[in-house]
């Protein structure tokens, strides 16, 4: 009884009420009296045996019930009524809401369908506070779903290019900066710079319409409105953050903070151990339990030993001492002689045997227990397993296995209820050893011979029995007890009182206090203590009128013959002061002796030697830790305030989980949750414990009511305990793991929460109010001039971050080299093609592989030249085009695209390669094609007959009117006669072609490539990759922009090598096409993209053995270059190399290349595995370094060891191309910086693009990108700003020329850098952490909106698992990046937009989210 009321507030009236209720079951009932049975979710028709089982263990319904505490909670809520707490309800997809039969409750807006309600919103009559007030008081309001329905094809469709709709956010009001806690700033216009200026109406997806907030500010969707409400909620934090901040350095983080002098501290004197009364009854006691059973069975065989009641039995069952002796003797004989054979018995004296009996059958358990003692075997009582998936079942199996248990004793009734296998045997439970089940009922046992008599031992230190306890982390520890302990406890109880009503469990660890006998001079004690001071471990008596008080009832005094003391919770077991909470320790022979097999833990628990303040030992006796928290009050009364396992230390204060549960249950629990199915635990997040509350929700409660209850629970816990709750989660009924006794298994529930497998129906994260130990925001320091930076680096001995590729000036003056290289003597690609058609007409330049892996078509030099001439004739005659006209080439990846490009060069036209619209998603992709045509000022479209029909189809006309297209020329039927005169440019600086692509920031940009830059680019790639006509190169790249277009269309004509072309689109049908082609044609050099590498890794992960069996061999591959405009993906590259190592791919063969808009190829690293040429350009292996991620947030580069905390692997982006110079500059001051700093990569090269191309000719919009100058140092050189951050590192490796290698490391795009709390974050770092957080997250993207971090994750699983991702994402971002996630959006797979190069379009995703176009599964707004 005392154990049940350890930690609740018990008044004298409540004590008498509970006492009468517990005794009511054993008193005679009057006929007609109605007995109320508590209703549980397991249905009212549950069996009476289950009810008896719950009743016998003490219902949790009454454990936390206290009228005084309930009144205090209601008073606290009344005090909070003036401070309305804004709780944003999450947005759920209608399909997810429908499964729970609840409607999403959203704030009213103009899109809710009511004209009057919309007019109120526009007039500013509906504010956030009024809406929250109606929500909390249950006023009816119109609710609407925050997302629209969409079919599967719409979910899988990628979003269109952002510039297509020219979405301007100038009309949006940016919410205030919540990180500075400053007044609201003036509205600012948020608009990203764009190249295109075409304005088009924004298409409506589902219910995405323009609306206005309550204050009259127009926003684009309800999503923006909820973010605005969230920001308004966070403007005024609930409590002042702690003054102690930790900074970014890990060493300083571990520094011990100085204690706050204003905190309450213990002021009393040092406590002293209390001694129990002397025990005068041991002399006449039996020497052991076996001897006691023998004595009482002989002299009083008919005396009642045990009386039990059962709900099914009409009369109580009485077990006499005689029956107990005879049955125990019978069982002992059968254990030793009837199991196994005489030569090889199964059980020997000293073996351990499991006792499996239900709580409602104590008589059978008692017989089995004493039977084991008489047989000299050690009983190990365990709970009855009900199902194969019982919570904690594996830990019980570890207990049995470590104790060497091979036999389990049980009763016939219990054995019938155990889960059985198909053969009828007891099922093998997870983690359990194989057991022999023995039934102990008399009908299954044989009578022992009269001459057989067991050995009756005297008291000794041998193990009598083994019990177990479950630790806080869910592990199981085994406690051994010697033979002396049971007899000692029996003697103590007999000496204290003669009449006791015991409601005990079979398993208990300590008995250290006993209620005084009736008539004692020491009355019952009671204390009203301040809960605030208790959280600091200090005892302060308070008045009962205050809210934060805890009323404690004493549990008695020290038992006779024992000594009790209170020691500090941490450090050396020093005695506490009289007004200090500590752990109670007991010195008595009635305690356990050790943990079985754990000598180290046994010494720290069972062999404690408390010390006084002077360092001396308190006593010569050894004490045992009880795990109970409390203090010794006046008169030696012992008060218990909680347990060590239920203690949670948050922000330096200690809180009891039972107290938190009691407060939560006092907030009208019966309407929304089940009172006995609530757990509270703490999780470690960001170097502190955070409180998590999980409860089972009633099925009839709506989501609106649940969130109302959760908001009131937050207020109550904050008012009573002054602590914030990190997470509140409500799960469906009967889903939490149960203990065998019917309660909630705490450690299993916590493990499910940490693993993201809890599957809640409602969840509310409150990191903004709980996380008060974030790093101090970085303050902007006064700008240091570029000259000072340079001088500082020179003084510190650090080199300036600059490097260059090989110098080509000596090659331009060497006529012999020009004759050898051939094509280098021409300035224009059209001349190179004509020269090759004359000199090597039958040399094959291109070979196209179809989706089946066979050669689809090929082009020789002469064939390409003739087709180009015919296309030029087509442009002259049918198109009536002139020199300099722009022509759009809309072709699928293939040879037609190459022929059309060179045909434009022959005709003097400017080609623009455009990706054709996707037939399955033409409504989204066709407007992008039309926009590129308009921006590029294309006067003609060249394409195939199939694509021309697609453009004229009915579906295409719905998206884009066919009449708006420029003239379309089909190249399937070309003129038979060729052009009489081919165009030759007069100036190499004239425009050769336009390169259009979508950047990672969602901006569509076209760059101008001159003939001179094109030739210089092809020459650098030729020299770097050692491309000659005898070489074969496999290319699997997107052929429409960047370095992929150069390698697909230009390099083969310039260098003469044979290019084996594989379309990345065909890999969707045949993922092994690329690697099979490389193996089939014995290609030694190949180029691919990260999207191709990822597709092969994902699709072929389980097919490597079959590919090897079909003859795939990649041992000939010397160079596999990954082309990208981003940071190299180290994890993907390593997975790819590891996966295809079995088919011969060498890890050293894989390297990277880097290009950008201003320079399509900056670095290229074609590492050779073969013998190096004497004048070759083969460089050293690509290097990987590990940098401190926290230093990168401050633009510093600090190398660390692999595996260091916060280490980030960065792979070299390739060797700098010949003729390319690189310098790292400060993007703000434009000054050069040292190699230990992170800065923007600037490039000087003849292959740089000429500038951006815009529809209005505003090239000067971003002219600084192509003509930047340093503010200090070399101020005359013109540099091109790449827009990417990186650093240079001079390595100890040398290249083929013997020069030290300068490695370039790309970190991320400058436009994507997120500045939060004064520090700079790269989205890829946060996204990498989030993807590792949960197995169901396939892809994710992050972006910021008014200093709120928004995370979008793609869910690969059931929609019911969407809520599991919210705490996982929030935790991992806090732990690894010290950031609080503001909004978590869960979407279907394929929603995050990705361009053709496999790069995420984060800004486009942001625009789609704010416009409510994503159709999210779930949107959570963290408070």
């Amino acid at each position: 009884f005392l154990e049940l009321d350890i930690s609740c507030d018990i008044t004298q009236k409540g004590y008498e009420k509970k006492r009468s209720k517990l005794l009511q079951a054993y008193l005679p009932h009057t006929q007609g009296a109605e007995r109320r049975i508590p209703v549980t979710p397991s249905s009212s028709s549950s069996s009476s045996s289950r009810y008896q089982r719950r009743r016998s263990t003490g219902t949790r319904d009454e454990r936390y019930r206290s009228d005084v505490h309930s009144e205090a909670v209601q008073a606290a809520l009344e005090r909070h009524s003036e401070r309305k707490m804004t709780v944003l309800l999450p947005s759920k997809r209608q399909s997810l809401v429908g499964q729970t039969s609840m409607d999403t409750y959203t704030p009213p807006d103009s899109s809710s369908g009511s004209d009057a309600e919309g007019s109120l919103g526009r007039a500013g009559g509906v504010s956030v506070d009024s809406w929250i007030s109606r929500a909390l008081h249950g006023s009816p309001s119109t609710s609407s779903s925050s997302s629209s329905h969409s079919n599967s094809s719409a979910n899988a469709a990628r979003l269109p290019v952002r510039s297509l709709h020219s979405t301007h956010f100038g009309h949006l009001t940016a919410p205030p900066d919540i990180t500075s806690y400053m007044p609201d700033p003036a509205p600012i216009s948020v608009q990203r710079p764009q190249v295109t200026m075409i304005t088009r109406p924004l298409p409506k997806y589902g219910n995405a319409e323009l609306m206005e907030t309550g204050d009259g500010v127009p926003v684009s969707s309800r999503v923006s409105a909820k973010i605005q409400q969230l920001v308004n909620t966070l403007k005024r934090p609930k409590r002042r953050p702690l003054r102690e901040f930790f900074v970014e350095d890990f060493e300083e983080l571990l520094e011990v903070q100085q204690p706050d002098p204003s905190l309450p501290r213990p002021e009393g004197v040092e406590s002293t151990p209390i001694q129990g009364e002397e025990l005068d009854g041991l002399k006449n006691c039996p020497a052991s339990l076996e001897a006691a059973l023998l004595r009482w069975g002989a002299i009083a065989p008919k005396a009642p030993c045990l009386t039990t009641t059962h709900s099914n039995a009409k009369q109580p069952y009485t077990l006499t001492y005689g029956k107990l002796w005879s049955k125990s003797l019978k069982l002992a004989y059968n254990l030793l002689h009837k199991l196994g054979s005489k030569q090889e018995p199964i059980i020997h004296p000293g073996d351990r045997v499991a006792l499996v009996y239900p709580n409602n059958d104590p008589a059978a358990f008692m017989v089995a227990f004493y039977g084991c003692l008489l047989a000299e075997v050690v009983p190990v009582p365990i709970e009855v397993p009900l199902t194969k998936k019982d919570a904690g079942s594996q830990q019980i199996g570890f207990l049995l296995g470590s104790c060497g248990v091979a036999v389990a004793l049980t009763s016939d009734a219990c054995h019938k209820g155990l889960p059985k296998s198909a053969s009828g045997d007891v099922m093998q439970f997870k983690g359990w050893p194989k057991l022999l089940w023995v039934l102990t009922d008399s009908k299954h046992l044989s009578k022992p011979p009269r001459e057989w008599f067991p050995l009756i031992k005297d008291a000794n230190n041998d193990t009598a029995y083994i019990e177990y306890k479950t630790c806080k982390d869910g592990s199981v520890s085994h406690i051994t007890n010697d033979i002396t302990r049971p007899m000692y406890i029996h003697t103590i109880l007999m000496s204290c009182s003669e009449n006791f009503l015991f409601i005990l469990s079979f398993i208990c660890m300590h008995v250290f206090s006993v209620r005084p006998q009736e008539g004692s001079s020491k009355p019952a004690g009671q204390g009203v203590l301040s809960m605030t001071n208790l959280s600091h471990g200090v005892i302060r008596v308070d008045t009962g009128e205050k809210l934060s008080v805890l009323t404690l009832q004493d549990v008695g005094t020290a038992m006779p013959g024992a000594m009790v003391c209170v020691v500090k919770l941490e450090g050396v077991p020093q005695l506490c002061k009289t007004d200090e909470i500590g752990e109670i320790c007991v010195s008595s022979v009635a305690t356990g002796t050790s943990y079985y097999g754990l000598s180290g833990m046994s010494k720290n628990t069972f062999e404690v030697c408390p010390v006084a303040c002077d360092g001396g030992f308190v006593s010569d006796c050894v004490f045992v830790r009880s795990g109970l928290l409390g203090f010794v009050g006046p008169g030696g009364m012992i008060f218990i305030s909680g347990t060590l396992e239920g203690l949670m230390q948050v922000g330096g204060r200690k809180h009891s989980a039972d107290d938190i549960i009691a407060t939560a249950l006092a907030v009208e629990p019966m309407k929304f949750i089940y009172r006995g199915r609530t757990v509270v635990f703490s999780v470690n997040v960001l170097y502190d414990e955070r409180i998590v509350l999980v409860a089972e929700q009633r099925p009839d409660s709506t989501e609106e009511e649940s969130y109302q209850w959760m908001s009131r629970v937050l207020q109550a816990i904050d008012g009573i305990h002054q602590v914030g709750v990190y997470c509140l989660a409500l799960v469906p009924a009967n889903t939490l793991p149960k203990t065998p006794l019917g309660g909630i298994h705490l450690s299993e529930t916590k493990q499910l929460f940490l693993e993201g497998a809890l599957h809640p129906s409602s969840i509310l994260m409150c990191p903004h109010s709980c996380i008060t130990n974030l790093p101090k925001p970085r303050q902007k320091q006064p700008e240091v001039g570029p000259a000072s930076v340079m001088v500082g680096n020179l003084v510190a001995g650090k080199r300036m971050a600059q490097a260059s590729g090989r110098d080509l000036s000596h090659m331009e003056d060497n006529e012999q080299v020009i004759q050898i290289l051939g094509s280098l003597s021409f300035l224009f690609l059209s001349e190179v093609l004509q020269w090759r058609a004359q000199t090597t007409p039958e040399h094959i330049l291109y070979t196209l592989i179809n989706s089946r892996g066979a050669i689809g078509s090929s082009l020789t030099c002469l064939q390409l030249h003739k087709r180009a001439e015919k296309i030029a004739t087509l442009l002259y005659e049918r198109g009536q085009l002139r020199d300099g006209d722009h022509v759009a080439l809309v072709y699928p990846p293939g040879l037609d695209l190459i022929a059309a490009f060179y045909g434009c060069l022959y005709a003097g036209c400017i080609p623009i390669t455009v990706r054709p619209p996707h037939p399955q998603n033409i409504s989204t992709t066709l407007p992008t094609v039309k926009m590129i045509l308009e921006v590029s000022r294309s006067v003609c479209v060249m394409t195939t007959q199939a694509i021309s029909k697609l453009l004229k189809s009915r579906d295409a006309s719905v998206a884009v009117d066919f009449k708006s297209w420029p003239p379309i020329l089909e190249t399937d039927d070309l003129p038979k006669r060729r052009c009489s005169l081919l165009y030759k440019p007069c100036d190499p600086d004239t425009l050769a072609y336009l390169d259009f692509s979508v950047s990672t920031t969602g901006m569509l940009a076209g760059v101008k490539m001159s003939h001179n830059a094109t030739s210089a680019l092809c020459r650098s790639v030729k020299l770097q990759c050692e491309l000659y006509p005898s070489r074969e190169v496999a290319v699997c790249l997107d052929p429409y922009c960047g370095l992929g277009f150069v390698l697909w269309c230009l390099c083969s004509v310039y260098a003469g090598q044979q290019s084996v072309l594989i379309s990345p689109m065909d890999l969707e049908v045949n993922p092994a096409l690329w690697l099979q082609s490389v193996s089939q044609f014995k290609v030694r050099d190949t180029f691919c993209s990260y999207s191709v590498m990822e597709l092969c890794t994902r699709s072929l992960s389980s097919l490597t053995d079959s590919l090897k069996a079909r003859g795939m061999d990649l041992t000939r591959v010397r160079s596999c270059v990954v082309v990208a405009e981003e940071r190299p993906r180290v994890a993907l590259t390593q997975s790819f190399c590891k996966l295809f190592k079995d088919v011969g791919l060498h890890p050293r063969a894989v390297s990277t290349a880097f290009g950008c808009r201003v320079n399509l190829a900056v670095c290229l690293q074609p590492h050779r595995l073969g013998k190096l040429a004497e004048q070759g350009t083969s460089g050293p292996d690509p290097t990987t370094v590990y940098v401190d991620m926290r230093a990168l947030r401050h633009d510093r580069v600090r190398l660390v060891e692999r595996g260091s905390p916060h280490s980030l692997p960065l792979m070299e982006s390739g060797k700098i191309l010949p003729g390319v110079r690189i310098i790292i500059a400060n993007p703000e001051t434009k000054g050069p910086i040292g190699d230990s700093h992170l800065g923007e990569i600037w490039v000087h090269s003849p292959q740089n693009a000429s500038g951006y191309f815009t529809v209005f000719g505003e090239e000067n919009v971003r002219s600084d990108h192509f003509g930047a100058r340093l503010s200090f140092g070399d101020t005359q050189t013109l540099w091109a700003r790449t827009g990417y951050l990186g650093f240079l590192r001079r390595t100890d490796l040398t290249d083929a020329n013997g020069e030290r290698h300068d490695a370039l490391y790309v970190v991320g795009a400058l436009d994507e850098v997120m500045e939060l709390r004064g520090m700079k974050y790269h989205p890829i770092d946060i996204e990498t952490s989030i993807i590792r957080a949960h197995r169901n997250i396939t892809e994710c993207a992050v972006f910021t909106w008014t200093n709120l971090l928004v995370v979008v994750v793609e869910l690969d699983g059931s929609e019911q698992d969407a809520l599991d991702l919210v705490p996982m994402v929030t935790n991992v971002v806090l732990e690894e990046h010290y950031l609080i996630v503001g909004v978590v959006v869960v979407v279907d797979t394929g929603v995050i937009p990705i361009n053709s190069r496999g790069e995420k379009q984060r800004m486009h995703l942001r625009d789609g989210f704010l416009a409510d176009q994503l159709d999210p599964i779930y949107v959570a707004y963290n408070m």
Side-chain angles (χ1 to χ4, degrees), residues 433-628:
K434 189 174 182 180
L435 298 178
L436 173 63
W437 293 88
V438 177
L439 303 181
T440 60
D441 298 81
S442 297
K443 60 182 179 180
H444 300 290
L445 302 178
S446 303
K447 284 188 178 182
R450 293 186 177 181
E451 62 274 8
W452 186 84
F453 196 82
L455 176 64
I456 305 299
K457 289 186 177 180
D458 294 334
N460 53 43
N461 293 328
D462 294 341
T463 300
Y465 63 96
I466 297 176
E467 56 187 352
Y468 72 92
K469 60 167 292 189
T470 303
C471 302
K472 188 175 183 179
D473 58 354
S475 61
V476 172
S477 301
H478 333 320
I479 305 166
T480 61
N481 301 274
D482 56 29
I483 299 177
T484 310
R485 179 189 178 191
M487 286 302 303
Y488 191 77
I489 296 177
H490 176 73
T491 307
I492 292 171
L493 296 178
M494 292 300 295
S495 64
C496 291
S497 178
E498 295 181 358
N499 297 317
F500 265 95
L501 175 64
F502 293 102
I503 305 175
L504 300 175
S505 173
F506 295 153
I507 304 172
C508 60
M509 180 178 176
H510 302 294
V511 176
F512 64 89
S513 62
V514 178
R515 170 68 55 193
Q517 298 183 26
E518 188 176 354
S520 173
S521 60
K522 297 180 180 180
Q526 190 179 94
V528 180
L529 307 179
S530 169
M531 198 175 295
T532 303
N533 291 277
L534 283 178
S535 65
H536 295 283
V538 180
I539 304 168
R540 293 289 183 268
V541 178
D542 211 332
T543 60
E545 288 77 13
K546 292 189 176 181
L547 300 180
S548 300
V549 295
L550 181 67
T551 305
L552 294 181
Q553 180 80 37
D554 75 278
V555 295
T557 59
M559 61 184 180
M563 185 182 299
V564 178
C565 68
V566 183
V567 300
K568 296 182 180 295
L569 300 179
E570 300 173 354
V572 179
Q574 183 180 349
L575 290 179
C576 294
K577 295 183 179 181
T578 54
D579 58 345
E580 184 178 5
I581 295 291
E583 183 178 8
I584 297 177
C585 296
V586 185
S587 176
S588 171
V589 294
T591 61
T593 57
S594 65
Y595 287 125
Y596 184 84
L598 302 174
S599 57
M601 290 182 59
S602 300
K603 188 173 183 63
N604 295 331
T605 303
F606 295 91
E607 300 178 15
V608 179
C609 299
V611 296
C613 58
D614 56 0
F617 292 112
V618 173
S619 173
D620 297 336
C621 302
V622 175
F623 286 75
V624 178
R625 295 182 180 271
S626 66
L628 299 176

Side-chain angles (χ1 to χ4, degrees), residues 346-359:
I346 296 179
I347 296 180
H348 300 83
D351 290 347
R352 270 74 60 188
V353 175
L355 305 187
V356 185
Y357 293 89
N359 270 14

Side-chain angles (χ1 to χ4, degrees), residues 848-856 1061-1074 1076-1077:
L848 181 65
I849 307 300
N850 58 26
S851 60
R852 296 186 299 272
I855 297 178
L1061 305 179
I1062 303 105
S1063 172
M1065 300 173 60
D1066 293 336
L1067 264 67
E1068 299 179 0
V1069 181
N1070 184 7
L1073 176 62
W1074 168 49
Q1076 283 179 345
S1077 301

Side-chain angles (χ1 to χ4, degrees), residues 720-927:
I720 298 294
H721 305 276
Q722 290 82 45
V723 66
V725 177
Y726 179 67
C727 177
L728 277 81
L730 299 182
V731 300
N734 293 319
T735 56
L736 291 180
K738 304 294 191 299
T739 62
L741 296 180
I744 303 301
H745 200 287
L746 179 62
S747 60
E748 290 283 341
T749 303
K750 179 178 179 179
Q751 189 65 26
L752 290 177
F753 176 81
L754 294 176
E755 294 176 354
L758 195 60
H759 308 318
S761 57
S762 300
I763 193 168
L764 181 60
M765 300 288 297
C766 306
H768 291 282
S769 60
C770 295
I771 308 300
T772 56
N773 61 333
L774 284 173
K776 189 174 182 180
R778 179 187 179 190
Q779 303 295 330
K780 286 288 185 181
Q781 301 296 330
E783 291 293 344
V784 180
S788 301
V789 172
M790 178 176 287
V791 173
N793 282 283
L794 294 177
V795 172
K798 298 179 181 179
R799 62 185 291 267
M800 302 307 295
Q802 55 185 350
S804 60
R806 287 189 300 157
D807 189 10
L808 297 180
S809 59
H810 68 282
M811 304 188 70
E812 296 175 356
D813 300 333
N814 193 335
E815 297 181 358
Q816 183 179 1
V817 174
I818 292 177
Q819 294 177 1
I820 295 176
L821 298 180
S823 60
L824 295 181
S825 59
F826 299 100
L827 296 177
F828 308 104
L829 282 175
S830 58
E831 295 179 339
V832 176
L833 179 56
Q834 297 174 40
W835 171 73
R836 292 197 180 278
Q838 295 175 1
T839 57
T840 56
E842 301 302 325
H843 175 67
I844 298 178
L845 289 179
Y846 298 101
T847 300
L848 181 65
I849 307 300
N850 58 26
S851 60
R852 296 186 299 272
I855 297 178
S857 57
S858 61
L859 275 179
T860 63
C861 298
L862 183 59
Q863 289 173 345
L864 178 59
H865 170 67
K866 289 183 178 181
R867 290 189 62 179
E869 286 183 325
K870 294 180 181 180
I871 291 176
T873 303
L874 177 68
L875 293 173
Y876 281 140
E877 295 180 353
R878 299 183 189 177
Q880 300 296 322
L881 301 184
R882 297 173 299 176
D883 300 345
D885 287 343
H886 295 184
V887 179
L889 311 181
V890 186
Y891 288 93
L895 302 183
D896 292 336
L897 176 66
I898 302 173
F901 177 82
Y902 286 98
C904 291
L905 295 185
Y906 280 2
C909 298
I910 309 301
I912 301 102
T913 55
V914 182
R915 176 189 299 273
H918 199 287
Q920 310 259 333
N921 193 18
I922 193 169
S923 61
T924 304
T925 56
L926 186 60

